[in-house]
Amino acid sequence: MEQAPAIIKNNDQSLKTCILYEVLEKKPIFDSYRNFCNLVGQDAMEYPEFEFWYYRFYHGQVDFDYDRSADPVPKTLMDIPISSLYKITEHLDTVERTYLRSMNKAIKDIADSHAPSFDKMEITAYGGCSMEWRLDNNAFHCYRKNKGCVLQKPNGSKIKSRDSYLKIISSFEKLESCELTFSKFENEVQFRRIAEALGVEIPFGPLQIIKHRYQIPESNEYLEFKMEDEDHSSSIKIVKIR
């Protein structure tokens, strides 16, 4: 019985019989394709090919020997003009774009060309071994596992990565403001070192509030920093000024 999937996979008529069975069971096409792959293997047939035969059988055209060579080459998502894809993706929210950008590099570039569509972003790091960030009410969680890490999306699905580290690259090219809050119990923020990195003239004595305006290179825009040291936490607020 273990050889049955291999026998079916290597027989075109058997593959089409399996598709016809799914149609007769009146199962949705995505569920049918999942069942089909579980039976004969993930590499037995690409989804577009499965979809063609599924709908052909669904409409009563049960001809296993139909020759597709004369048919027009089927279109794919990447055949849509870039301008149209841009129009489509601009109506997606941030989480939907996150799912879309994982398809391939071309789609990723289009999804990333839009300005962020969220109002608030919160990032929390836990001792360097895990990280959580929220885009409005949508939470993402990333944690180390073995020699890689796992990303959990808002819908609960998980993606495994071979990367053995967690990294965030922040850019203020599109973000208008950002606020970072640090618990002193977890992370002792040294304002003097941060201020020195920004080129701020630091007065002697204890520091509670530091304000600084940083000009973005080759731009007339500024980032306004306000760093405040409180009893149990420290905060850094950054706002873009035009």
Side-chain angles (χ1 to χ4, degrees), residues 36-53:
F36 176 82
C37 291
N38 289 337
L39 175 64
V40 299
Q42 301 294 326
D43 59 343
M45 182 182 293
E46 296 290 338
Y47 178 79
E49 179 77 6
F50 178 91
E51 182 183 47
F52 172 83
W53 290 107

Side-chain angles (χ1 to χ4, degrees), residues 102-232:
S102 64
M103 294 179 61
N104 60 45
K105 186 179 185 303
I107 291 292
K108 175 181 178 297
D109 291 341
I110 294 172
D112 290 348
S113 65
H114 295 283
S117 58
F118 53 88
D119 296 321
K120 185 177 182 181
M121 177 173 64
E122 299 178 10
I123 301 173
T124 306
Y126 303 96
C129 61
S130 67
M131 179 180 296
E132 180 181 87
W133 60 96
R134 290 180 174 271
L135 306 179
D136 293 333
N137 295 321
N138 297 298
F140 296 79
H141 185 67
C142 187
Y143 56 91
R144 287 181 177 174
K145 185 173 183 180
N146 300 327
K147 295 183 179 181
C149 64
V150 177
L151 170 65
Q152 181 171 319
K153 296 182 179 181
N155 65 353
S157 63
K158 297 181 179 180
I159 298 176
K160 295 182 180 179
S161 171
R162 295 180 181 178
D163 293 336
S164 58
Y165 56 88
L166 302 175
K167 178 172 65 174
I168 289 182
I169 300 177
S170 299
S171 171
F172 279 87
E173 293 180 359
K174 296 178 180 178
L175 293 180
E176 297 297 324
S177 64
C178 177
E179 181 174 347
L180 308 176
T181 302
F182 302 88
S183 169
K184 288 189 175 180
F185 178 77
E186 296 179 354
N187 192 344
E188 186 68 27
V189 180
Q190 299 183 25
F191 276 174
R192 288 186 179 275
R193 294 181 61 184
I194 297 175
E196 288 172 357
L198 293 172
V200 180
E201 293 185 5
I202 308 172
F204 291 102
L207 296 176
Q208 289 189 330
I209 297 179
I210 296 177
K211 294 182 179 180
H212 178 67
R213 181 172 287 192
Y214 169 80
Q215 183 173 2
I216 300 174
E218 301 180 0
S219 170
N220 293 325
E221 299 178 339
Y222 292 81
L223 297 179
E224 187 174 81
F225 289 78
K226 181 181 179 182
M227 296 172 281
E228 190 168 359
D229 190 12
E230 300 177 356
D231 292 337
H232 302 291

